[in-house]
Amino acid sequence: MAGLTAKLKGMDDLVRKINKYEDLIDGNGLRWITTEVAMKSKAILLETSKNDIGSDGKMSGWRRPPRKGVRVRAGFELRSNSVAEFIPKPNGVWKVLEVGRDPGISRAKRGRPPRRYGRASGKLTWSRAWTRIEPKIAGWTADANSELLRNSWK
């Protein structure tokens, strides 16, 4: 009879651990997994952009005060516990990196004369980054889920 009691006590521990995992995955755990995958995706986006524009991560020919070029960044916003939306920052720079631009003349601002800008060929930066990211999402999700399960099993 003592062996049966010990087995039942072990079952109680198992049920407690499963319930703890279920609580984690239903609420903040799923949000944490989504954030982990989004952060890894963002790193690949920025790495791909640096391959196209240089290691400083700036569009050096683009001038903004204090005249040091425009830094290319990316962010994400969690729309729900399982959905992250990626936001190119600044949007115009990413658009030029993706599809390019035709030459033209800028508008005059605050007494400055208009400026000319040249043609830029698109490098499909955003698209190439996503072709690298998409095959890895399932693995990253599984890794984060395993870590969450490992933490709930303690």
Side-chain angles (χ1 to χ4, degrees), residues 74-136:
F76 64 89
E77 190 172 305
L78 294 178
R79 294 289 180 200
S80 70
N81 284 345
S82 60
V83 176
E85 178 184 346
F86 285 86
I87 303 164
K89 298 177 184 178
N91 193 30
V93 175
W94 280 99
K95 184 177 178 185
V96 170
L97 285 172
E98 184 70 18
V99 296
R101 72 173 178 200
D102 292 329
I105 299 174
S106 67
R107 293 176 292 183
K109 293 181 184 176
R110 291 178 284 209
R112 283 193 331 222
R115 296 181 183 173
R116 295 185 177 278
Y117 56 86
R119 180 182 181 283
S121 59
K123 295 177 172 55
L124 300 175
T125 305
W126 192 267
S127 301
R128 282 187 302 109
W130 280 105
T131 57
R132 289 179 56 199
I133 292 168
E134 284 176 343
K136 297 177 181 182

Side-chain angles (χ1 to χ4, degrees), residues 22-86:
E22 184 179 14
D23 290 343
L24 284 173
I25 201 69
D26 281 345
N28 291 334
L30 186 56
R31 192 172 189 83
W32 178 80
I33 289 172
T34 305
T35 303
E36 287 293 309
V37 172
M39 288 177 67
K40 290 178 181 179
S41 300
K42 178 182 166 182
I44 289 183
L45 274 169
L46 294 177
E47 177 187 323
T48 304
S49 73
K50 285 184 180 180
N51 290 341
D52 287 344
I53 62 174
S55 62
D56 64 350
K58 294 180 183 179
M59 296 286 278
S60 300
W62 290 32
R63 299 295 182 215
R64 278 196 185 163
R67 299 210 171 269
K68 296 191 185 224
V70 178
R71 182 168 299 282
V72 176
R73 297 169 298 152
F76 64 89
E77 190 172 305
L78 294 178
R79 294 289 180 200
S80 70
N81 284 345
S82 60
V83 176
E85 178 184 346
F86 285 86

